[in-house]
Amino acid sequence: MSLHGIRTVAALELRQRARTSRWPVVLLLWFLLVAGVTSLSYAALNNASVKAGPTLYDVTTFLVLGLSMLVVPSLTATSVNGDREAGVLATLQTTLLTPADIIVGKLVSSWVIALVFLAVSSPFLLWAWVAGGIGIGQVVGSLLVLAFVLAVTCAIGLAFSTLTARTVASAVLTYLAIATLVFGTVIVFLLSFFLVQSREQVRYYGIPDSFWAAQTKNDDGSISPDSVIPTVADCRHLTREETVIHTERIWWLLPMNPFVVVADAAPGRTAPGPTAYSGVQPMRAISIGARSARAGADGRERQECDFGGGGGPAALPPLQSGPIYPYGLVFYLALGAGATWLAIRRTRTPVTRLPNGTRIA
Amino acid sequence: MRRAFGSVLAVDDISLVARPGEVTALVGPNGAGKTTLLLMLATLLVPDHGTIRIEGFDPVTQPAEVRARIGWMPDGFGTWDALTVREVLHTIGAAYRMGPAEARARTEAVLELLHLGDLADRRARVLSRGQKQRLGLARALLHDPSVLLLDEPASGLDPRSRIELRDVLRTMAADGKTVLVSSHILTELQEVADRAVIVARGRTTQDQTLDATELATTVGTWRITSLDADRLRQWLGERHVPWRAELAAVVVQVGGEEQAARLLADLVADGIRVIAFAPSHGALEAAYLAATEDRQ
């Protein structure tokens, strides 16, 4: 592998793409889509009391990542087998370029295109930053994480394009793989709840059942409203049996999700804003949810005595673990490196075995 | 050498030596294993059995050394459609680790050699098949390889380009390069090749030299056309020369060029007005037909 070789392949790929596709149109559509959604969010959310900045940043990042997951795999999913079909891969393989040059060159070129899409959406991220509340360091940091996830997505497509002879098959497999990461992890996470749930005694501070039993009832068994005003004095430290889900045993499914990784690294979670789940802050909600999943079953006493301004302790915020995104980054680094290694191995020549239906040249 | 794809035995037993300074022709019917053989030589495919040496290097274990020395022109290749001819060649130059200046210089030289100068700034997409073939040859020649592996280089070429191709191949051989060319067009190969290797069903069936002395002594079929057709047949019958009619012409077996010349002289001396007198098959064609006879 050499810098010169990688640059040669990347330049070749970029030049071809620049000339064969309608990039200006695609980028314009992308720009308009992001612009539309961001402007609507701004119009809907901005008012004198709440700065729309963090929300804007969240919505835009969420949108850009979601759209990228649709667009980016198509950049590489037919790269190697498409070249093989067009009879141009062997032309490179018989030169002094190594398989690593070819694969990494293709990876770099598709990543550059993915970054162009990111760059086109950056005015809106900047707008969000200006609109308030987010430091530039945080924006840059989360952009880097986003760019990294896109690079891994490119690598996954590239690996599949070396695995199948038909471009349709590799495109389908790539999208399936991406869908597994985006939806599959969440679905498996939620479906595994029954595996990690148990009935346990939990402590709480609230109104005992005896309080309600002591109330005078109407004829139909409902409680007459006049008499039901419990006060802090009525609260007791009690226990009851509840279903507890030990998500700390399955939280590791979450950092495999690109949205969780990007959300957890996003600045929205630390920005001053409304309460945890208020507003439209998808990234913030994802991040808080994922961290509380990792923190797992909450052993703290439930605070259920805060009613009617009676002065009881407020409900506790969700239990939070440390950052999750570093685990995601490690996972994605391994995934990207593995995919790239596989792709390189599969483009090595001379070959001993040809998959069915493939041609070399 | 042997190479199979699953149950299909593409190359069963082919052995050949192509020497520097010579044009070696690889001839055989469709499916004879020519392309597979060239893929193995071009470092793309590992043979199941047997060994290959290209200038002393093994394509399986030392592909980089081999690649630096070979120029491969595949059969039915594609090209980067969106690039111009010149850009394609610059890219290939870069892929062979040439510096930009060297790549540019070699590109111009090859464009000149193959008369592609006019097309240099056209997109490869708009080239005709023959023009693409020339671009393919240009690509194979760009890094000045010492071994040329050409798979059907003449297909799709117009007559003029064929003649130019022939000259290019002869020039390469004269420069001491090894040229291995596969083709179906026998008359062409006859003119350009020093030796022919005939393969059929994945086997070498014949390895013959195509030089003048051999042609002169082989029994060949000659075709005679005369304005006095009836007198010609009578004349041949009187001298017990076996002949058969082929349209208006007469075909006879003659043992070499010397005898053919004598026959012609005799005919003319006896006042038979001969208007055409030529070998009906080239030596290569004859050998090819003999080698692949069992196919019919």
Side-chain angles (χ1 to χ4, degrees):
Chain A
M1 191 162 71
S2 67
L3 198 61
H4 176 77
I6 293 169
R7 210 174 47 207
T8 303
V9 178
L12 170 68
E13 291 279 317
L14 283 175
R15 191 177 272 172
Q16 289 198 88
R17 285 200 198 270
R19 289 190 192 164
T20 49
S21 308
R22 303 196 170 277
W23 291 112
V25 178
V26 175
L27 287 173
L28 183 69
L29 282 177
W30 176 279
F31 182 85
L32 291 178
L33 193 59
V34 177
V37 172
T38 313
S39 308
L40 276 177
S41 324
Y42 183 79
L45 298 166
N46 202 42
N47 61 48
S49 63
V50 181
K51 280 185 172 177
T55 305
L56 269 191
Y57 178 86
D58 256 33
V59 170
T60 312
T61 317
F62 191 83
L63 180 73
V64 168
L65 179 60
L67 288 179
S68 303
M69 289 289 140
L70 290 176
V71 172
V72 170
S74 73
L75 295 174
T76 54
T78 61
S79 186
V80 172
N81 52 10
D83 270 12
R84 219 173 243 150
E85 223 160 62
V88 291
L89 185 68
T91 309
L92 287 181
Q93 287 176 316
T94 51
T95 65
L96 296 178
L97 293 173
T98 63
D101 288 335
I102 296 174
I103 293 300
V104 177
K106 279 176 176 293
L107 185 59
V108 167
S109 72
S110 50
W111 190 44
V112 166
I113 296 170
L115 292 183
V116 170
F117 278 97
L118 204 53
V120 168
S121 17
S122 65
F124 303 101
L125 298 174
L126 279 177
W127 178 16
W129 168 52
V130 171
I134 297 175
I136 189 164
Q138 293 175 305
V139 175
V140 170
S142 76
L143 275 181
L144 286 178
V145 172
L146 190 54
F148 172 71
V149 169
L150 295 186
V152 175
T153 313
C154 290
I156 293 170
L158 208 49
F160 279 113
S161 80
T162 63
L163 285 176
T164 70
R166 304 250 169 263
T167 51
V168 177
S170 61
V172 168
L173 286 173
T174 306
Y175 277 103
L176 270 181
I178 299 298
T180 305
L181 291 176
V182 173
F183 303 111
T185 50
V186 177
I187 292 170
V188 173
F189 177 76
L190 294 176
L191 289 181
S192 336
F193 275 8
F194 84 95
L195 292 173
V196 295
Q197 72 185 16
S198 56
R199 298 290 294 177
E200 286 174 22
Q201 293 292 323
V202 298
R203 293 179 296 129
Y204 72 102
Y205 180 55
I207 308 298
D209 290 342
S210 58
F211 174 83
W212 304 110
Q215 301 304 313
T216 47
K217 302 243 172 46
N218 296 331
D219 294 343
D220 61 351
S222 67
I223 293 165
S224 131
D226 304 336
S227 62
V228 225
I229 307 162
T231 61
V232 178
D234 297 316
C235 290
R236 300 284 179 277
H237 294 279
L238 299 159
T239 60
R240 65 170 177 249
E241 199 178 64
E242 259 184 28
T243 300
V244 177
I245 299 163
H246 288 275
T247 49
E248 72 272 17
R249 296 181 196 149
I250 50 171
W251 71 274
W252 47 266
L253 281 163
L254 295 177
M256 295 182 188
N257 187 304
F259 283 88
V260 172
V261 179
V262 174
D264 200 50
R269 62 167 289 107
T270 53
T275 55
Y277 293 100
S278 75
V280 188
Q281 281 193 268
M283 302 306 252
R284 181 180 173 132
I286 291 172
S287 173
I288 289 172
R291 288 191 188 191
S292 77
R294 187 182 162 208
D298 194 346
R300 300 172 301 180
E301 188 178 54
R302 311 270 195 279
Q303 297 303 326
E304 295 172 359
C305 199
D306 181 23
F307 33 69
L316 293 168
L319 197 59
Q320 292 287 277
S321 69
I324 277 182
Y325 73 91
Y327 296 93
L329 292 185
V330 170
F331 171 74
Y332 275 90
L333 188 64
L335 190 63
T340 310
W341 173 82
L342 182 68
I344 291 171
R345 232 178 78 97
R346 296 277 303 180
T347 26
R348 205 171 279 163
T349 48
V351 295
T352 342
R353 216 177 60 81
L354 283 181
N356 273 347
T358 47
R359 280 163 54 86
I360 299 180
Chain B
M1 235 184 300
R2 173 197 280 260
R3 173 75 214 195
F5 298 104
S7 60
V8 182
L9 195 59
V11 169
D12 185 6
D13 179 14
I14 293 184
S15 48
L16 73 89
V17 178
R19 294 183 185 82
E22 282 186 1
V23 175
T24 306
L26 191 59
V27 193
N30 296 328
K34 302 189 295 295
T35 297
T36 306
L37 175 67
L38 285 169
L39 288 177
M40 289 192 276
L41 295 175
T43 74
L44 290 171
L45 202 57
V46 177
D48 295 338
H49 295 290
T51 52
I52 305 169
R53 288 290 176 277
I54 292 172
E55 302 212 321
F57 294 103
D58 183 348
V60 178
T61 56
Q62 301 158 297
E65 283 83 355
V66 171
R67 283 168 191 164
R69 286 165 178 79
I70 60 166
W72 175 59
M73 175 179 170
D75 178 22
F77 54 91
T79 191
W80 301 299
D81 280 345
L83 270 58
T84 67
V85 169
R86 191 172 267 129
E87 286 168 341
V88 168
L89 295 176
H90 286 171
T91 303
I92 294 289
Y96 278 106
R97 307 236 175 96
M98 292 181 193
E102 191 192 353
R104 272 198 296 277
R106 280 296 303 162
T107 298
E108 296 311 314
V110 170
L111 288 176
E112 169 82 6
L113 177 70
L114 297 175
H115 307 279
L116 278 166
D118 299 342
L119 305 171
D121 294 313
R122 292 252 190 100
R123 297 261 174 107
R125 181 198 299 275
V126 302
L127 296 185
S128 72
R129 180 163 154 70
Q131 289 166 336
K132 275 186 184 156
Q133 286 290 105
R134 272 149 72 196
L135 173 57
L137 184 61
R139 235 162 44 177
L141 293 175
L142 190 77
H143 60 298
D144 197 20
S146 50
V147 178
L148 272 176
L149 307 170
L150 310 175
D151 202 352
E152 301 283 351
S155 78
L157 289 188
D158 59 45
R160 183 180 186 82
S161 304
R162 283 186 187 193
I163 294 164
E164 284 165 3
L165 171 69
R166 210 167 64 199
D167 294 345
V168 168
L169 296 188
R170 288 300 342 163
T171 315
M172 295 289 146
D175 288 349
K177 297 182 193 309
T178 311
V179 183
L180 182 64
V181 48
S182 90
S183 180
H184 291 305
I185 306 161
L186 299 171
T187 45
E188 293 244 341
L189 284 178
Q190 172 129 23
E191 288 169 60
V192 71
D194 297 297
R195 281 169 358 95
V197 176
I198 300 174
V199 294
R201 296 179 177 182
R203 292 171 167 275
T204 319
T205 57
Q206 210 165 346
D207 186 348
Q208 70 163 293
T209 315
L210 297 173
D211 61 15
T213 52
E214 185 160 335
L215 280 182
T217 55
T218 332
V219 175
T221 313
W222 291 69
R223 181 197 298 254
I224 310 167
T225 316
S226 169
L227 292 178
D228 312 310
D230 293 338
R231 276 190 60 205
L232 170 64
R233 288 167 192 197
Q234 195 188 343
W235 189 92
L236 289 170
E238 283 164 9
R239 283 158 186 78
H240 305 292
V241 179
W243 59 271
R244 63 192 164 83
E246 207 178 272
L247 299 179
V250 160
V251 175
V252 294
Q253 297 284 324
V254 179
E257 289 177 340
E258 196 65 37
Q259 282 196 31
R262 208 177 310 137
L263 174 62
L264 179 60
D266 289 348
L267 284 171
V268 174
D270 287 352
I272 296 169
R273 292 175 293 165
V274 174
I275 52 169
F277 188 94
S280 78
H281 295 308
L284 183 55
E285 203 166 82
Y288 176 84
L289 289 176
T292 58
E293 210 164 26
D294 56 340
R295 204 179 67 143
Q296 299 136 21

